Amino acid sequence: MVLTEERPNLLRPGHAACAGCGLATGMKLVLQAMGPRTIAVIVPSCEGAIGGVYPYTAYGVPTIHSAFEIAAPTAAGIANGLKVQGITDIQVLAFAGDGGTFDIGLQALSGVAKNNDDIIYVCLDNEGYMNTGIQVSSSTPSFAWTGTTPKGNPRRKKNIMEIMAAHYNPYSATATIGFPRDLQQKITKAKGIRGTKFIHMLVPCPTGWRTPSDISPELSVLAVETNIFPLYEVEDGKRYTINHQPRRLPVREYLSRQGRFRHLKEEEIEQIQRDADEEWKKLRYRAGLSG
Amino acid sequence: MKEFMTGNHAIAHAVKLCRTPLIAAYPITPQTPIYEKLSEWEASGQLKGIMMRTESEHSAMASCIAASLTGVRTFTASSSQGIALMHEMLHFASGCRVPVVMANVNRLLAAPWGFWADQLDSLSQRDTGWIQFYCENGQEALDSVIQAYRIAEQVYLPAMVSIEAFFVSHFMEVVDLPEQEQVDRFLPPMDLPHKFDMDKPGFLVPVVPSELYRKYKHMAQVSMDSVKGLALQVDQEFRNEFGRGYGIVEPLMVEDAEVVVVTAGSITGTARVAIKELRERGYRIGLLKVRLFRPFPGEAIREALRGRKRIAVIDRNFSLGGGGIFCQELRAALVHSPDRPLVFSYIAGIGGTDVRPEMIERVCLDVMERTEPMDTPIWIMEEGS
């Protein structure tokens, strides 16, 4: 099921994303799966820049550019405003970056997930504050260079999926642009579930990751195949399903393609490999698989 | 129908009477009884709508703004640290031109900690673009919430109704509850022209160039300025329907007054008693209550104080490095007054300390002695402290 050709493009041409932006591709795929009966929320981030400056906008559905930390309660306010008027055929979609989700918006997202307000929340994770020019976030991976970690990020990436699962929300899933069919299936599935749905989407960023502009989909595939970013779903905080059996390529193949990891020492690469192996084991255990 | 109730419950009744279908709130003393009462009515079905129990005041305001843009009436209540946390979203609400109504229970701001009456919390939000009312008692708070919706939904600006912690929020008084049919007649359903429209998918709150930003702020100012006249008109209509009204300022015995005391909020009630007594003893003292603070009713104040020579503004709030905030605003409003009155700033009741009639009497007698202008505020404390 790839909807690209069948559905209208709701992220219009002429948007202001950098060349090769994975985030813009991700938004386009999500909006296609959502369809026109959608109200979208964006927050200050690359999404705001992509949307363009008044009187132009790339967004093809009614959209509000809310404040940084409140993608979730803005979407929840819209969803409840519609509900109280008896409007049931419009879905509310929130887009926020990793800064707006892992960091400044985490509390507000937690509050909405606790209430199980009926929204689809998509975290467009490019692993740093890219719109302000590449600063570290709590989603930035170990050892990665950013403008505020010139010697490499000393901490690991936060596990946002586990944080969401701890809310027992009905549906959370990882997705990435290199697997568009999987991504759109997950959005379609989320549309059919009432409550707070969370999609954690990895979106390669050529500008911030120091990569050529023509390899974002390929990098996104490598992230999955190296187990840096496995594709899985969590239902009601307890039922884990792995959606793609990775080829388990060495992480080096993913890291070596990106300028932000150029300075890595051998032991740092080995550390990332160990972390990926350990996380994969943990995930398989949660999914009821052994070994 | 008359009932005995707290100021907080009077506000909750107003929200129910206004048929507000979407409430988002977060608990904070001394506002919490509003949130609890509305939750109780939501659970029992007496309040038709949704109560969003958010994880912070910041998110409560975010949800109110967003829900308002779907075209529904919204409400939240807060206080002190809560409204301070909301600050970012208060600017956002007025910028979005949403008629959100909020009740604020005036409580001091930490540090140090305390729960007591002090108006600095909402006065610190004076530049956020909200209409602000300060109420003397529960009845006025109930009536002001109903009026606030009428005004806010006409000018598309948010409105805040403030009462002081405990003195009004928790004290029980007799409140005349309006009939539902009367409120329905007075307050038509909300009709917001700039809500989400599926047929015309617009982009709300875009990035705009400098000139457009300036244009929108100027448009907002024109709307805000119109509130002075509109609030008076709405109050008059309210008086016609419900038999009581308040004006935007209330002058009392000012015509022949040698000294006019200016108050806002619950100190007004005490001042009424003090001034009556001073009048009986032969002192020509008048009172001016300021009910509308944003927009500041400069013209109405100038008119009320015409010909007066000595004015004492009593503030239960204090801007460090400035002074009493009502006094600052009032001085600015009188700067072109041909009477060139002496305006003195008295700070009383800070941190919820009691302001007794004899303290107001002391202020009046103190002013009578003064012939020279004075910039610095005069703190009124109990004898010996």
Side-chain angles (χ1 to χ4, degrees), chain A residues 272-288:
Chain A
I272 294 172
Q273 184 67 59
R274 277 197 300 278
D275 290 345
D277 292 345
E278 188 186 289
E279 286 298 313
W280 176 243
K281 207 169 151 187
K282 210 159 80 183
L283 182 61
R284 279 180 57 84
Y285 174 76
R286 292 207 163 112

Side-chain angles (χ1 to χ4, degrees), chain A residues 54 63 65 69 73-74 85 115, chain B residues 53 63 66 70 88 204-205 207:
Chain A
Y54 185 87
T63 303
H65 188 173
E69 63 278 56
T74 301
Q85 295 174 76
N115 286 339
Chain B
R53 295 163 181 86
S63 295
T70 70
E88 180 195 19
L204 300 178
V205 204
V207 175

Side-chain angles (χ1 to χ4, degrees), chain A residues 238-251:
Chain A
K238 57 190 177 193
R239 287 192 308 281
Y240 284 66
T241 310
I242 296 171
N243 307 115
H244 176 80
Q245 201 54 43
R247 289 157 62 199
R248 301 194 67 178
L249 300 174
V251 295

Side-chain angles (χ1 to χ4, degrees), chain B residues 88-281:
Chain B
E88 180 195 19
M89 299 324 297
L90 297 183
H91 279 286
F92 212 84
S94 60
C96 285
R97 303 298 300 263
V98 286
V100 176
V101 169
M102 164 161 63
N104 180 61
V105 182
N106 287 129
R107 165 186 155 184
L108 61 83
L109 286 162
W113 289 103
F115 314 95
W116 330 123
D118 194 304
Q119 295 163 325
L120 187 59
D121 57 354
S122 52
L123 289 172
S124 296
Q125 309 302 333
R126 62 179 150 169
D127 301 331
T128 56
W130 281 61
I131 298 162
Q132 288 200 5
F133 285 104
Y134 288 82
C135 301
E136 192 177 337
N137 53 43
Q139 181 74 64
E140 187 182 334
L142 182 149
D143 297 342
S144 295
V145 167
I146 299 170
Q147 292 189 11
Y149 277 116
R150 256 295 290 276
I151 297 164
E153 291 172 9
Q154 227 159 309
V155 295
Y156 313 124
L157 283 170
M160 190 186 300
V161 175
S162 286
I163 57 172
E164 282 144 275
F166 304 109
F167 295 127
V168 182
S169 71
H170 284 61
F171 277 26
M172 294 184 82
E173 289 179 280
V174 174
V175 172
D176 191 352
L177 281 178
E179 296 298 324
Q180 184 65 60
E181 303 77 58
Q182 283 180 292
V183 179
D184 289 345
R185 261 200 306 275
F186 181 77
L187 184 67
M190 177 172 135
D191 185 17
L192 196 67
H194 54 290
K195 58 188 176 189
F196 291 108
D197 184 347
M198 302 311 288
D199 300 323
K200 283 188 278 177
F203 185 40
L204 300 178
V205 204
V207 175
V208 295
S210 305
E211 293 75 13
L212 262 183
Y213 183 87
R214 181 180 61 193
K215 182 181 170 190
Y216 290 136
K217 292 300 146 183
H218 181 251
M219 286 164 75
Q221 195 221 309
V222 171
S223 297
M224 183 57 107
D225 282 350
S226 76
V227 170
K228 294 176 204 173
L230 180 62
L232 262 181
Q233 181 199 324
V234 166
D235 188 67
Q236 188 54 50
E237 285 174 40
F238 191 91
R239 194 185 289 275
N240 298 342
E241 179 69 48
F242 301 95
R244 56 179 178 270
Y246 307 91
I248 53 176
V249 298
E250 182 196 343
L252 189 71
M253 297 185 280
V254 294
E255 294 79 9
D256 64 339
E258 283 176 54
V259 170
V260 178
V261 174
V262 180
T263 57
S266 74
I267 292 176
T268 311
T270 313
R272 289 180 198 276
V273 175
I275 280 156
K276 190 160 169 269
E277 197 159 305
L278 284 165
R279 281 263 165 189
E280 282 164 10
R281 282 157 52 192

Side-chain angles (χ1 to χ4, degrees), chain A residues 121-201:
Chain A
Y121 186 106
V122 178
C123 171
L124 299 157
D125 181 8
N126 54 18
E127 303 192 318
Y129 291 89
M130 301 317 190
N131 189 44
T132 42
I134 320 163
Q135 294 85 33
V136 71
S137 79
S138 59
S139 169
T140 304
S142 312
F143 313 122
W145 168 89
T146 70
T148 49
T149 53
K151 291 181 173 174
N153 178 24
R155 299 291 299 162
R156 282 181 70 178
K157 183 184 173 90
K158 195 187 271 182
N159 190 333
I160 194 73
M161 286 292 283
E162 285 299 292
I163 293 170
M164 290 310 295
H167 290 80
Y168 308 104
N169 65 315
Y171 186 68
S172 296
T174 62
T176 188
I177 57 163
F179 293 81
R181 183 177 307 204
D182 173 79
L183 190 163
Q184 292 192 322
Q185 270 172 352
K186 284 170 175 168
I187 296 293
T188 306
K189 181 169 178 177
K191 282 172 72 179
I193 299 167
R194 300 278 69 80
T196 304
K197 288 80 64 178
F198 179 79
I199 308 290
H200 178 201
M201 192 193 305

